[in-house]
Amino acid sequence: MKNWLLAVKQQLSQQIINNKLPHAMLFSGVQGAGHEEIAQWLIKVLLCQQPIHENSNEALLSLQPCTDCKTCKLFASNSYPDHLTIVNEKNTIGVDLIRHLSQFFQRTAHIGHAKTALVNNADTMTVSAANALLKTLEEPTTDSFIILTTDRSDMLLPTIISRCQKIEIRPPVGDKLLAEFNHQGDDAFINLSHLNELTDSAAEIAFAEFRDMVQYYLCENRHRNEVLATLVNNDDGFRWLEKILVDLMRDHWGWQISKNRNQYNISINRQQIWQVYNLVQATNIKLKTLVQVNRQFITEKLLAEISLVVQKTTKK
Ligand SMILES: [Zn+2]
């Protein structure tokens, strides 16, 4: 288990024991932070007929599913009738799936006292799906729990977020994180691949190279193909691009691409960065919400739009 999840489990366990757990929960974090793991744990604990109290200290108590009762066994074999997991097909969660979820909550529980539903990658809901979910969130049925997870809570409708208890899972960074993984043995390698540039020096180098390419591309219209290739082929590409732009906005004052600026260097102003950032965000939404999407085409279109923004304002 990731050590940093323990405090979250303790907090949630306390809420369950005090009967203070809200009807809707949203767990977010960067990929691999453990939000999906927490969601799974919470569902098992909620459904288990006799959860185990770990640790004798009341204040630091964390519940665990017993793994032995009828519901635990049914859940483990994927045949527990009072739980529903929504799976995003074709990269989006459509309105039909959410309607199915609403109907699921309308029916009485078959076995247990509680009913649970899990929506992973909640940010991939289409707008109509999100609106349908809002209705369910507004009219909770007794002992029903909706659990949402997302790597991108900024892509969720604010109205959804405001109806959930939101818990952001933040893993420690840098050496602390590596130390954390070293405690876990082999399992670490699976997780390391998710937190890429924080943990893996190869990914860190790839990120740094991409950052340079993006800066050259924005300033001098060079390295377009390298930027395009990373965005199309690297799963982290778009997230990296956003991170670079946010960093640029933050440090804009001191930012220069090279000390020996020549006549071809173009400075890029804050407004341009902001415009580029918005274009990237819009493309990201398209990539997430369109059912059939040609990643190459959409990314090329984005780069063309970025070029326009950068060139237009620099001619002034
Ligand atoms: Zn159990």
Side-chain angles (χ1 to χ4, degrees):
M1 206 261 290
K2 297 168 174 118
N3 280 346
W4 64 88
L5 298 182
L6 186 62
V8 182
K9 288 187 178 182
Q10 288 164 345
Q11 180 201 329
L12 291 168
S13 297
Q14 212 58 52
Q15 284 184 270
I16 295 171
I17 291 164
N18 299 336
N19 241 332
K20 290 269 165 63
L21 193 77
H23 149 77
M25 306 284 308
L26 169 65
F27 297 113
S28 63
V30 297
Q31 254 183 45
H35 39 304
E36 293 181 357
E37 205 173 316
I38 279 285
Q40 282 293 333
W41 163 84
L42 178 62
I43 289 161
K44 287 181 197 163
V45 166
L46 285 171
L47 295 177
C48 175
Q49 293 171 338
Q50 52 214 12
I52 298 164
H53 292 212
E54 263 185 8
N55 196 326
S56 52
N57 182 343
E58 269 301 309
L60 297 173
L61 179 144
S62 97
L63 294 171
Q64 289 301 332
C66 76
T67 69
D68 212 35
C69 70
K70 189 178 170 188
T71 54
C72 278
K73 282 181 173 159
L74 282 172
F75 186 82
S77 64
N78 267 331
S79 44
Y80 184 67
D82 297 324
H83 172 76
L84 178 73
T85 298
I86 299 286
V87 180
N88 58 343
E89 296 158 337
K90 299 174 189 162
N91 298 323
T92 58
I93 297 172
V95 67
D96 289 347
L97 287 174
I98 298 299
R99 286 200 186 116
H100 180 57
L101 179 147
S102 310
Q103 287 158 6
F104 164 80
F105 278 119
Q106 296 305 322
R107 296 193 294 268
T108 26
H110 288 265
I111 301 177
H113 44 285
K115 293 180 86 167
T116 53
L118 172 66
V119 184
N120 279 331
N121 302 314
D123 53 284
T124 61
M125 279 188 290
T126 61
V127 174
S128 44
N131 284 323
L133 182 66
L134 267 183
K135 282 193 189 149
T136 310
L137 293 177
E138 281 163 358
E139 299 159 6
T141 48
T142 353
D143 291 323
S144 66
F145 299 95
I146 300 181
I147 290 143
L148 310 176
T149 72
T150 180
D151 303 338
R152 300 291 315 264
S153 59
D154 54 326
M155 307 263 291
L156 274 173
L157 287 182
T159 40
I160 299 255
I161 296 175
S162 67
R163 280 167 181 80
C164 300
Q165 178 183 342
K166 188 183 171 205
I167 295 186
E168 189 178 352
I169 312 287
R170 293 168 192 270
V173 288
D175 292 346
K176 261 171 93 187
L177 182 69
L178 279 174
E180 197 79 54
F181 278 125
N182 287 336
H183 280 299
Q184 295 183 41
D186 296 341
D187 187 39
F189 292 100
I190 302 162
N191 294 315
L192 279 174
S193 63
H194 293 298
L195 283 164
N196 270 335
E197 69 277 10
L198 290 179
T199 50
D200 174 2
S201 53
E204 196 183 328
I205 292 165
F207 171 70
E209 280 174 3
F210 180 61
R211 190 178 50 206
D212 288 346
M213 296 295 173
V214 168
Q215 296 190 356
Y216 278 121
Y217 177 65
L218 292 178
C219 293
E220 302 176 20
N221 208 14
R222 286 163 55 199
H223 296 295
R224 174 189 173 278
N225 291 344
E226 287 91 337
V227 172
L228 178 70
T230 304
L231 288 175
V232 172
N233 302 323
N234 189 326
D235 285 342
D236 290 320
F238 267 87
R239 193 169 53 78
W240 284 355
L241 182 57
E242 276 191 38
K243 188 171 162 180
I244 291 162
L245 290 167
V246 169
D247 286 347
L248 279 182
M249 286 191 275
R250 282 199 189 119
D251 322 323
H252 189 258
W253 276 108
W255 182 54
Q256 286 188 330
I257 56 145
S258 93
K259 281 177 187 139
N260 308 315
R261 306 196 120 213
N262 58 41
Q263 55 177 336
Y264 298 108
N265 272 340
I266 300 164
S267 67
I268 173 168
N269 64 35
R270 205 173 298 186
Q271 196 199 352
Q272 286 172 295
I273 300 173
W274 178 241
Q275 284 177 341
V276 170
Y277 178 73
N278 283 319
L279 289 172
V280 172
Q281 286 278 66
T283 303
N284 235 332
I285 291 171
K286 268 188 219 157
L287 286 171
K288 288 228 168 196
T289 52
L290 293 183
V291 175
Q292 282 185 324
V293 55
N294 182 332
R295 198 178 168 93
Q296 173 94 23
F297 174 75
I298 283 199
T299 310
E300 285 193 22
K301 190 161 163 280
L302 169 69
L303 292 188
E305 287 166 351
I306 290 178
S307 291
L308 273 181
V309 168
V310 174
Q311 284 162 15
K312 191 170 66 190
T313 2
T314 44
K315 275 179 192 161
K316 276 179 191 170

